[in-house]
């Protein structure tokens, strides 16, 4: 017979490849109530082995969101033992690290979203740090608001009359690398999620976007918006780009919010295409520029920017519009960056079949599928679909290619584990 200690060891999620999928593994550990063991965290890095500052900060945030969590890190930081506790929710404020060893606010929010609705109380989270300008590695707040928030609502979070729906609001902008921004995220609690059936794409009916500029000439945001519309107006007339210009540290507004932005300049744009079936596809781009630094880390105030290598606002607009067209061309009902999040939520639904149409899988999504199978025992059924959904014959001549011009899409279906929020107070 096996003892309790041996049974606990067999339930432990063990990985020897270091910090790969760091957030996803921690999230899966909490939701599956299984301990986690990570070994060889950057053990081959002789200069800076172990956990990075942003990873340690994420662990501190999870510790504040839960009760009873135990975290053990060895002396070199190359091994992590994580025993999950119970999610609490409530009011939490957290400072995200900035500079070369930091990540943006979006990196933290992306890891918190799957946990937010399963606490004892609604989550009211305030994060301070970089909100924009790091879209090449981290999602921006605008992207998460236009892509992830609608997915939360589709899974039944905030659809009842007891609590308002999830809200993600920027109270102060902060461009990379020095940050200085602030974000408020509210998410109600639910007893369980709703199954999802999201396979009809429809036709693209409108494009909305936001061009954000911090501490650069206000005309730059307008130039980005004009460039985007120059591409999109060839395909449909309903295109509107909002320009959000911040040129100073800001003053107190009548609403009580503090406007303005942080000390770093930045320019970025977020675009969202909406279809007749309620599909929202979002992309984002931020201005590329080379930083003169010996270490390559963006953490000094006195860094200079090579003007010859700064991306023009017109090029930024065209690049973002092209990325949006590529996302539409792929034919998925959610954008590529949200695939792993949607599949995790599908695993947690009641014991019923959930379906969703996706385009080409990213490598991160493939790794996530393997993780979900190990942590939750959920296997996805993947079926290639060449037709692109119902009515594709009638829509094949649509300007946006409603037959999913990319050709083959994938219908993903799974049976949920029936996850219930046991921390929620019974009424």
């Amino acid at each position: 017979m096996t003892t309790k200690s041996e049974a606990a060891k067999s339930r432990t999620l063990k990985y020897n490849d270091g910090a790969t999928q760091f957030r996803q593994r921690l999230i899966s550990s909490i939701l599956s109530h299984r301990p986690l063991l990570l070994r060889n965290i950057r053990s081959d890095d002789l200069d800076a082995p172990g956990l990075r500052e942003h990873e340690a900060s994420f662990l501190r945030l999870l510790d504040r969101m839960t009760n009873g969590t135990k975290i053990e890190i060895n002396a070199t930081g190359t091994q992590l033992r994580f025993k999950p506790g119970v999610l609490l929710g409530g009011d939490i404020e957290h400072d995200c690290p900035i500079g070369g060893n930091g990540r943006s606010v979006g990196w933290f929010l992306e890891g918190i979203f799957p946990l937010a609705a399963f606490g004892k109380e609604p989550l009211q989270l305030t994060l301070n740090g970089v909100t924009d300008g790091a879209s090449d590695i981290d999602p921006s707040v605008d992207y998460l608001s236009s892509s992830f928030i609608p997915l939360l609502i589709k899974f039944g979070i905030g659809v009842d009359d007891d609590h308002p729906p999830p809200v993600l609001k920027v109270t102060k902008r902060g461009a990379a690398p020095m940050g200085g921004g602030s974000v408020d995220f509210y998410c109600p609690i639910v007893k369980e999620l709703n199954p999802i059936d999201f396979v009809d794409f429809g036709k693209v009916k409108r494009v909305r976007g936001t061009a954000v500029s911090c501490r650069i000439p206000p005309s730059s945001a307008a130039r980005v918006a004009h460039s985007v519309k120059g591409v999109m107006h060839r395909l449909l007339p309903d295109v509107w780009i909002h320009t959000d210009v911040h040129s100073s540290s800001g003053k107190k507004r009548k609403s009580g919010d503090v406007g303005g932005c942080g000390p770093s300049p930045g320019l970025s744009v977020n675009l969202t295409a909406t279809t007749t079936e309620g599909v929202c596809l979002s992309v984002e781009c931020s201005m590329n520029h080379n930083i003169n630094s010996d270490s390559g880390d963006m953490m000094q105030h006195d860094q200079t920017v090579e003007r010859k290598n700064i991306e023009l606002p017109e090029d930024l607009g065209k690049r973002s519009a092209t990325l949006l067209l590529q996302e539409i061309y792929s034919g998925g009902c959610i954008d590529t960056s949200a695939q792993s999040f949607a599949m995790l939520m599908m695993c947690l639904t009641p014991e019923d079949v959930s379906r969703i149409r996706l385009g080409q899988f990213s490598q991160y999504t493939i790794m996530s599928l393997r993780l979900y199978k190990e942590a939750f025992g959920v296997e996805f059924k993947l079926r290639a679909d060449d037709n692109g959904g119902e009515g594709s014959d009638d829509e094949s001549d649509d300007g946006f290619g409603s037959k999913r011009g990319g050709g083959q899409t994938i219908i993903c279906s799974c049976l949920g584990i029936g996850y219930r929020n046991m921390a929620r107070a019974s009424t």
Side-chain angles (χ1 to χ4, degrees), residues 54-80:
H54 60 275
E55 294 166 344
S57 179
F58 187 73
L59 287 172
R60 289 193 293 270
L61 178 58
L62 291 181
D63 188 42
R64 296 182 62 186
M65 289 180 59
T66 57
N67 182 31
T69 296
K70 295 182 180 180
I71 302 173
E72 297 178 7
I73 304 173
N74 66 353
T76 58
T78 57
Q79 180 172 299
L80 167 67

Side-chain angles (χ1 to χ4, degrees), residues 186-426:
Y186 168 81
C187 185
I189 58 175
V190 293
K191 190 173 183 179
E192 60 182 2
L193 301 177
N194 295 337
I196 190 173
D197 189 19
F198 201 25
V199 295
D200 294 330
F201 188 87
K203 292 185 177 182
V204 176
K205 62 179 181 180
R206 65 170 175 261
V207 173
R208 297 290 182 265
T210 303
V212 180
S213 65
C214 296
R215 292 188 175 272
I216 62 175
S219 60
S220 298
R223 289 164 63 185
V224 171
H226 181 75
S227 178
V228 171
K229 289 186 284 188
V231 176
M232 304 306 295
H233 273 163
R234 303 176 189 175
L235 302 166
L236 81 167
D238 193 359
V239 180
W240 188 72
I241 311 296
H242 170 67
T243 55
D244 190 6
V245 179
H246 301 274
S247 57
S248 64
S249 59
K251 298 180 180 179
K252 191 91 170 182
R253 298 175 181 172
K254 293 182 180 180
S255 61
D257 296 335
V258 179
C261 61
S264 298
L267 179 64
S268 59
V269 59
N270 176 77
L271 300 177
T272 302
T274 306
T275 75
T276 54
E277 297 293 338
V279 174
C280 295
L281 300 177
S282 299
V283 297
E284 61 176 340
C285 290
S286 55
M287 181 175 62
N288 289 332
H289 50 251
N290 291 343
I291 302 296
N292 288 333
S293 175
D294 294 337
S295 63
D297 292 336
M298 299 182 297
M299 55 188 303
Q300 300 295 332
H301 287 280
D302 57 351
Q303 290 168 337
T304 60
V305 178
E306 293 183 6
R307 294 187 177 274
K308 292 182 180 179
N309 295 324
I310 295 179
E311 185 177 25
L312 294 176
E314 288 81 6
D315 295 336
L316 177 62
K318 291 179 181 178
R319 181 160 64 94
S320 61
T322 302
L323 286 177
L324 182 61
L325 294 178
Q326 290 176 349
E327 198 65 59
I328 296 171
Y329 185 81
S330 68
C333 289
I334 58 173
D335 45 82
T336 306
S337 299
Q339 289 176 351
S340 60
F341 169 70
M343 288 183 162
L344 175 57
M345 301 300 280
M346 289 171 66
C347 293
L348 303 177
T349 55
E351 295 181 5
D352 197 358
V353 176
S354 295
R355 297 193 308 159
I356 196 168
R357 181 187 299 277
L358 300 178
Q360 183 179 1
F361 280 5
S362 65
Q363 187 64 34
Y364 192 83
T365 302
I366 296 172
M367 297 174 65
S368 297
L369 288 176
R370 296 168 182 161
L371 173 63
Y372 301 155
K373 180 180 178 180
E374 181 178 359
F376 304 104
V378 175
E379 292 189 24
F380 281 79
K381 180 182 178 182
L382 308 179
R383 178 173 62 87
D385 183 27
D386 295 319
N387 296 326
E390 298 178 358
S392 61
D393 294 337
D394 298 333
E395 300 167 356
S396 59
D397 58 347
D398 177 58
F400 267 97
S402 292
K403 65 176 182 179
R404 287 358 125 227
Q408 195 174 81
T409 57
I410 303 173
I411 303 295
C412 306
S413 59
C414 76
L415 190 67
I417 63 173
Y419 186 86
R420 298 173 68 90
N421 184 4
M422 304 305 294
R424 180 181 180 181
S426 59

Side-chain angles (χ1 to χ4, degrees), residues 44-226:
D44 56 347
D45 190 345
L46 300 180
D47 296 329
L51 293 171
R52 295 289 185 259
E53 183 179 355
H54 60 275
E55 294 166 344
S57 179
F58 187 73
L59 287 172
R60 289 193 293 270
L61 178 58
L62 291 181
D63 188 42
R64 296 182 62 186
M65 289 180 59
T66 57
N67 182 31
T69 296
K70 295 182 180 180
I71 302 173
E72 297 178 7
I73 304 173
N74 66 353
T76 58
T78 57
Q79 180 172 299
L80 167 67
R81 289 184 180 273
F82 182 84
K83 185 178 180 181
V86 179
L87 288 167
L88 296 178
D91 294 341
I92 300 174
E93 183 173 0
H94 184 75
D95 294 329
C96 305
I98 60 174
N101 294 323
R103 299 294 288 267
S104 74
V105 166
W107 186 84
F108 288 81
L109 284 172
E110 193 177 19
I112 295 302
F113 274 149
L115 307 174
F118 299 111
K120 187 176 181 179
E121 300 175 351
L123 177 65
Q124 182 67 54
L125 178 64
T126 300
L127 295 177
N128 304 316
V130 175
T131 62
D132 300 277
S135 61
D136 54 338
I137 56 174
D138 296 330
S140 68
V141 179
D142 295 301
Y143 169 78
L144 294 174
S145 180
S146 60
S147 180
F148 280 56
I149 296 296
L151 275 177
L152 289 175
I153 297 175
K154 282 187 178 296
F155 280 101
I157 299 175
V159 296
D160 54 8
D161 297 331
D162 296 338
H163 298 285
V167 177
L168 184 58
K169 181 181 179 183
V170 181
T171 56
K172 185 179 179 181
R173 296 281 180 180
M178 298 310 301
S182 182
V183 175
D184 290 336
F185 172 54
Y186 168 81
C187 185
I189 58 175
V190 293
K191 190 173 183 179
E192 60 182 2
L193 301 177
N194 295 337
I196 190 173
D197 189 19
F198 201 25
V199 295
D200 294 330
F201 188 87
K203 292 185 177 182
V204 176
K205 62 179 181 180
R206 65 170 175 261
V207 173
R208 297 290 182 265
T210 303
V212 180
S213 65
C214 296
R215 292 188 175 272
I216 62 175
S219 60
S220 298
R223 289 164 63 185
V224 171
H226 181 75

